């Protein structure tokens, strides 16, 4: 990704001119925003916006560190509970600076929590289309290569999707391997052994060394029903490991997984937004 940083004594922001398309149009993104005072933050934000307009772009998305593979979204509503592992930081002052600059919300997300005793109670109907397997903890690079291929196919139709290389994907995820708990990572495989879906779960280490909640962080599937079976396997395994709560993390409000989360009795505790700005004229 090509990027340029603007900073002063009290604030910093990064501009990515080659962001994902927004409604089919070329778009820049603004990420890595931090400020000590509103005045300092407003100054670098104005610089960043001017840089995008000067480069000939007419649309900006923020906050987003270049693409949806990296950090993006503001917290827009919260019950005040502590942040979970890898969750966007709640920064109302930063969000206010973006909205004051003319940004409006263009996409909505949420996180919800559910008691595992509830979520694991009802198994989906049996199927011969695929089998669910937990990761055995071996060959992580080969594992992530398969996950990269399936992710690229499964997410390609998502709004704001932008492809990345396999090398870039591995560079992001391989450092996380020591944190992974194989018992919370699942794969759906067809009878011929090909991958139909995957689910990544992790203990919520933000709670410390003995967390009570487990995070359903990411899942994707290319076959109908695989997501439901993967989620049930995750909930069942997490309950067996002694966790009491599942966090359904960072779900797009329009995704099928939003309906599934609600059907399992999960209660929303945080909402997030992605914001955009279009140049007039």
């Amino acid at each position: 990704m090509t990027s340029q940083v603007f900073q002063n004594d009290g604030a910093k922001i990064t501009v990515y001119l080659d962001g994902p398309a927004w409604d089919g149009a070329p778009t820049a993104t603004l990420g890595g925003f931090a400020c000590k005072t509103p005045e300092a933050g407003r100054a670098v934000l104005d610089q960043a916006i001017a840089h995008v307009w000067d480069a000939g772009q007419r649309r900006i998305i923020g906050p987003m560190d270049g693409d949806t593979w990296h950090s993006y979204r503001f917290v827009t509503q919260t019950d005040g509970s502590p942040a979970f592992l890898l969750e966007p930081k709640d920064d109302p002052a930063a969000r206010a600076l973006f909205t004051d600059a003319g940004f409006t919300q263009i996409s909505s997300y949420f996180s919800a929590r559910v008691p595992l005793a509830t979520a694991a109670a009802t198994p989906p109907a049996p199927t011969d289309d695929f089998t669910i397997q937990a990761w055995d903890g071996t060959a992580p690079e080969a594992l992530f290569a398969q996950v990269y291929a399936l992710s690229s196919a499964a997410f390609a139709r998502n709004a704001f999707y932008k492809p990345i290389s396999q090398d870039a994907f591995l560079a992001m995820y391989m450092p996380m391997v020591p944190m992974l708990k194989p018992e919370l990572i699942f794969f759906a495989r067809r009878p011929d052994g090909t991958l139909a879906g995957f689910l990544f779960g992790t203990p919520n280490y933000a709670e410390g060394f003995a967390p009570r909640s487990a995070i359903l962080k990411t899942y994707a599937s290319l076959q109908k029903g695989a997501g439901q079976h993967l989620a049930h396997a995750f909930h069942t395994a997490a309950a067996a490991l002694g966790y009491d709560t599942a966090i359904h993390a960072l779900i797009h409000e329009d995704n099928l997984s939003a309906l599934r989360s609600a059907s399992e009795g999960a209660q929303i505790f945080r909402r997030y937004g992605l914001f955009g700005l279009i140049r007039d004229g």
Side-chain angles (χ1 to χ4, degrees), residues 135-143 182:
W135 181 37
D136 63 6
T138 64
E141 188 160 340
L143 162 80

PDB file of all heavy atoms in Angstrom, residues 135-143 182:
ATOM      1  N   TRP A 135      -8.609 -27.560  14.010  1.00  0.00           N
ATOM      2  CA  TRP A 135      -7.210 -27.518  13.582  1.00  0.00           C
ATOM      3  C   TRP A 135      -6.365 -28.327  14.558  1.00  0.00           C
ATOM      4  O   TRP A 135      -6.544 -28.240  15.781  1.00  0.00           O
ATOM      5  CB  TRP A 135      -6.739 -26.075  13.526  1.00  0.00           C
ATOM      6  CG  TRP A 135      -5.315 -25.898  13.082  1.00  0.00           C
ATOM      7  CD1 TRP A 135      -4.653 -26.605  12.138  1.00  0.00           C
ATOM      8  CD2 TRP A 135      -4.389 -24.930  13.582  1.00  0.00           C
ATOM      9  NE1 TRP A 135      -3.371 -26.146  11.998  1.00  0.00           N
ATOM     10  CE2 TRP A 135      -3.178 -25.118  12.874  1.00  0.00           C
ATOM     11  CE3 TRP A 135      -4.454 -23.923  14.538  1.00  0.00           C
ATOM     12  CZ2 TRP A 135      -2.047 -24.333  13.103  1.00  0.00           C
ATOM     13  CZ3 TRP A 135      -3.354 -23.134  14.769  1.00  0.00           C
ATOM     14  CH2 TRP A 135      -2.158 -23.344  14.056  1.00  0.00           C
ATOM     15  N   ASP A 136      -5.418 -29.094  14.016  1.00  0.00           N
ATOM     16  CA  ASP A 136      -4.555 -29.903  14.889  1.00  0.00           C
ATOM     17  C   ASP A 136      -3.321 -29.146  15.368  1.00  0.00           C
ATOM     18  O   ASP A 136      -2.489 -29.709  16.086  1.00  0.00           O
ATOM     19  CB  ASP A 136      -4.144 -31.200  14.179  1.00  0.00           C
ATOM     20  CG  ASP A 136      -3.309 -30.958  12.924  1.00  0.00           C
ATOM     21  OD1 ASP A 136      -2.942 -29.788  12.649  1.00  0.00           O
ATOM     22  OD2 ASP A 136      -3.027 -31.939  12.203  1.00  0.00           O
ATOM     23  N   GLY A 137      -3.204 -27.888  14.981  1.00  0.00           N
ATOM     24  CA  GLY A 137      -2.099 -27.061  15.455  1.00  0.00           C
ATOM     25  C   GLY A 137      -0.820 -27.185  14.653  1.00  0.00           C
ATOM     26  O   GLY A 137       0.170 -26.526  14.977  1.00  0.00           O
ATOM     27  N   THR A 138      -0.814 -27.994  13.598  1.00  0.00           N
ATOM     28  CA  THR A 138       0.409 -28.191  12.810  1.00  0.00           C
ATOM     29  C   THR A 138       0.362 -27.373  11.525  1.00  0.00           C
ATOM     30  O   THR A 138      -0.695 -26.924  11.087  1.00  0.00           O
ATOM     31  CB  THR A 138       0.585 -29.677  12.447  1.00  0.00           C
ATOM     32  OG1 THR A 138      -0.496 -30.094  11.594  1.00  0.00           O
ATOM     33  CG2 THR A 138       0.591 -30.532  13.713  1.00  0.00           C
ATOM     34  N   ALA A 139       1.543 -27.191  10.931  1.00  0.00           N
ATOM     35  CA  ALA A 139       1.715 -26.559   9.617  1.00  0.00           C
ATOM     36  C   ALA A 139       0.926 -25.255   9.479  1.00  0.00           C
ATOM     37  O   ALA A 139       0.088 -25.108   8.584  1.00  0.00           O
ATOM     38  CB  ALA A 139       1.312 -27.544   8.517  1.00  0.00           C
ATOM     39  N   PRO A 140       1.195 -24.270  10.340  1.00  0.00           N
ATOM     40  CA  PRO A 140       0.392 -23.041  10.291  1.00  0.00           C
ATOM     41  C   PRO A 140       0.509 -22.277   8.973  1.00  0.00           C
ATOM     42  O   PRO A 140      -0.472 -21.686   8.521  1.00  0.00           O
ATOM     43  CB  PRO A 140       0.936 -22.213  11.456  1.00  0.00           C
ATOM     44  CG  PRO A 140       2.280 -22.781  11.753  1.00  0.00           C
ATOM     45  CD  PRO A 140       2.196 -24.227  11.422  1.00  0.00           C
ATOM     46  N   GLU A 141       1.673 -22.300   8.330  1.00  0.00           N
ATOM     47  CA  GLU A 141       1.794 -21.548   7.078  1.00  0.00           C
ATOM     48  C   GLU A 141       0.929 -22.167   5.988  1.00  0.00           C
ATOM     49  O   GLU A 141       0.266 -21.451   5.216  1.00  0.00           O
ATOM     50  CB  GLU A 141       3.255 -21.483   6.625  1.00  0.00           C
ATOM     51  CG  GLU A 141       3.458 -20.552   5.449  1.00  0.00           C
ATOM     52  CD  GLU A 141       4.885 -20.086   5.291  1.00  0.00           C
ATOM     53  OE1 GLU A 141       5.663 -20.150   6.266  1.00  0.00           O
ATOM     54  OE2 GLU A 141       5.215 -19.642   4.176  1.00  0.00           O
ATOM     55  N   ALA A 142       0.898 -23.502   5.913  1.00  0.00           N
ATOM     56  CA  ALA A 142       0.022 -24.166   4.948  1.00  0.00           C
ATOM     57  C   ALA A 142      -1.442 -23.898   5.274  1.00  0.00           C
ATOM     58  O   ALA A 142      -2.274 -23.697   4.377  1.00  0.00           O
ATOM     59  CB  ALA A 142       0.293 -25.664   4.946  1.00  0.00           C
ATOM     60  N   LEU A 143      -1.752 -23.887   6.572  1.00  0.00           N
ATOM     61  CA  LEU A 143      -3.114 -23.579   7.004  1.00  0.00           C
ATOM     62  C   LEU A 143      -3.532 -22.201   6.524  1.00  0.00           C
ATOM     63  O   LEU A 143      -4.592 -22.024   5.911  1.00  0.00           O
ATOM     64  CB  LEU A 143      -3.183 -23.644   8.525  1.00  0.00           C
ATOM     65  CG  LEU A 143      -4.384 -22.953   9.180  1.00  0.00           C
ATOM     66  CD1 LEU A 143      -5.607 -23.832   9.091  1.00  0.00           C
ATOM     67  CD2 LEU A 143      -4.082 -22.595  10.619  1.00  0.00           C
ATOM     68  N   PRO A 182      -5.796 -23.966  19.004  1.00  0.00           N
ATOM     69  CA  PRO A 182      -6.320 -24.819  17.934  1.00  0.00           C
ATOM     70  C   PRO A 182      -7.725 -25.333  18.180  1.00  0.00           C
ATOM     71  O   PRO A 182      -8.498 -25.523  17.240  1.00  0.00           O
ATOM     72  CB  PRO A 182      -5.306 -25.964  17.883  1.00  0.00           C
ATOM     73  CG  PRO A 182      -4.034 -25.374  18.381  1.00  0.00           C
ATOM     74  CD  PRO A 182      -4.457 -24.393  19.445  1.00  0.00           C
TER      75      PRO A 182
END
